[in-house]
């Protein structure tokens, strides 16, 4: 038996640091996402950057209706990430939903839960990436159905991007998207690249494309921007600390 009075107060002075980790990224992903958190962990050093994730309910397949339904769920999910504490940036990790909802609406939903916090989506990050790379003419690969893919192309075109060629793989379940093998992604990416395009965009945070970027860039001889790569790159910019990232495409040199 342990005596009731065994524990006594330590004499050591308690000193609290401002934060357990200096920089904070909030991340909201779909409940069915297999990929986004893994990709953040590939790049973000946990001793310097905390990535705090929350998940929202989502029903497959990836239809416009199901994607729109994620919007109202974002505010509560954002507020639940380190309640009452500030984040340096918050990201919603779903490219298709950011297209269907629109980035302005996503920002309103997220800031209702985390006021005055910079917002990043894969599509807004892609636009910033192409601006940084001085690119306005792209080819596109998506894993989605033709319907969702065409919405993405129209949204990109409205944001001053010229689409020279676009291929889609016709997969409407993000759990199956995450199972697409790297060889499939690489071959489909190379096939989708049109020679006159300045870069290739590979959409979908569920697609394991980030690990393939270097190999695709080597084959097509042009920059590759993917949803997760662009989202992470843009989040790191908001942290305003030097980041030495290699192995995930030429974007991180900008």
């Amino acid at each position: 038996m342990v005596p009731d009075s065994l524990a006594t107060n330590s004499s050591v002075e308690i000193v609290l640091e401002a934060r357990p980790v200096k920089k904070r990224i909030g991340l909201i992903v779909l409940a069915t996402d297999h990929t986004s958190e893994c990709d953040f962990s590939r790049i973000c050093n946990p001793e310097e950057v905390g990535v705090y994730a929350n998940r929202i309910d989502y029903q497959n397949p990836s239809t416009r209706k199901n994607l729109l339904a994620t919007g109202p769920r974002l505010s509560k999910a954002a507020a639940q990430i380190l309640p009452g504490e500030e984040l340096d940036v918050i990201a919603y990790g779903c490219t298709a939903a950011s297209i269907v909802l629109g980035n302005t609406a996503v920002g309103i939903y997220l800031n209702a839960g985390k006021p005055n916090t910079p917002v990043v989506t894969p599509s807004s990050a892609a636009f910033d990436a192409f601006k940084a790379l001085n690119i306005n003419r792209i080819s596109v690969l998506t894993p989605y159905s033709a319907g969702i893919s065409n919405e993405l192309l129209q949204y990109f075109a409205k944001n001053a991007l010229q689409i020279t060629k676009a291929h889609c793989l016709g997969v409407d379940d993000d759990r199956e998207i995450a199972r697409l093998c790297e060889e499939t992604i690489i071959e489909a990416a190379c096939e989708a690249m049109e020679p006159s395009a300045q870069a290739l965009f590979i959409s979908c945070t569920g697609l394991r494309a980030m690990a393939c970027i270097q190999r695709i860039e080597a084959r097509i001889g042009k920059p590759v921007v993917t949803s997760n790569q662009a989202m992470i790159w843009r989040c790191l910019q908001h942290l305003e600390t030097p980041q030495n990232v290699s192995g995930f495409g030429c974007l991180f040199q900008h």
Side-chain angles (χ1 to χ4, degrees):
M1 294 289 293
V2 177
D4 292 340
S5 60
L6 179 63
T8 59
N9 290 330
S10 171
S11 62
V12 174
E13 180 184 1
I14 294 176
V15 178
L16 299 180
E17 295 183 328
R19 291 181 174 186
V21 182
K22 292 181 180 180
K23 298 295 181 177
R24 296 171 175 167
I25 297 174
L27 174 63
I28 297 175
V29 298
L30 304 182
T32 49
D33 186 311
H34 286 262
T35 309
S36 298
E37 291 149 311
C38 295
D39 279 350
F40 268 88
S41 69
R42 294 172 187 267
I43 290 177
C44 297
N45 181 350
E47 294 183 0
E48 299 176 0
V49 179
V51 180
Y52 304 97
N54 201 2
R55 289 175 172 256
I56 57 171
D57 184 44
Y58 182 70
Q59 284 78 41
N60 279 290
S62 295
T63 62
R64 180 176 177 82
K65 178 181 178 181
N66 287 342
L67 292 166
L68 284 172
T70 68
R73 300 166 186 158
L74 295 176
S75 300
K76 182 178 180 181
Q80 289 175 335
I81 300 176
L82 303 181
E85 299 195 53
E86 294 182 352
L87 299 173
D88 296 300
V89 60
I90 188 166
Y92 177 30
C94 182
T95 317
S98 74
I99 297 299
V100 171
L101 290 163
N103 285 316
T104 299
V106 171
I108 291 171
Y109 282 126
L110 292 178
N111 283 152
K114 281 292 183 185
N116 305 314
T117 304
V119 170
V120 171
T121 75
S123 58
S124 70
F127 300 150
D128 291 335
F130 290 126
K131 183 176 180 180
L133 293 166
N134 195 28
I135 283 169
N136 58 23
R137 190 171 66 255
I138 62 172
S139 291
V140 175
L141 172 68
T142 88
Y144 318 129
S145 66
I148 296 298
S149 298
N150 283 325
E151 286 210 44
L152 181 145
L153 299 177
Q154 292 168 12
Y155 194 75
F156 274 42
K158 289 178 182 178
N159 283 271
L161 288 168
Q162 179 185 346
I163 313 299
T164 64
K165 186 178 181 180
H167 282 187
C168 63
L169 299 177
V171 183
D172 62 5
D173 188 316
D174 64 326
R175 296 164 298 183
E176 293 182 0
I177 287 172
R179 292 169 55 199
L180 291 167
C181 75
E182 292 185 5
E183 191 62 27
T184 295
I185 297 168
I186 293 168
E187 293 303 319
C190 292
E191 183 184 66
M193 184 65 188
E194 204 275 328
S196 70
Q198 297 169 293
L200 175 68
F201 177 66
I202 305 177
S203 187
C204 190
T205 55
L207 191 67
R208 292 179 295 151
M210 202 173 80
C212 305
I213 292 173
Q214 292 286 84
R215 285 170 284 173
I216 299 169
E217 286 188 341
R219 285 185 54 177
I220 67 176
K222 303 283 181 69
V224 173
V225 174
T226 78
S227 290
N228 282 345
Q229 171 217 38
M231 180 170 59
I232 296 167
W233 167 81
R234 192 67 183 95
C235 284
L236 292 178
Q237 287 188 324
H238 282 289
L239 304 188
E240 298 182 347
T241 56
Q243 301 289 334
N244 296 316
V245 178
S246 60
F248 296 100
C250 64
L251 174 61
F252 281 102
Q253 309 310 312
H254 293 265

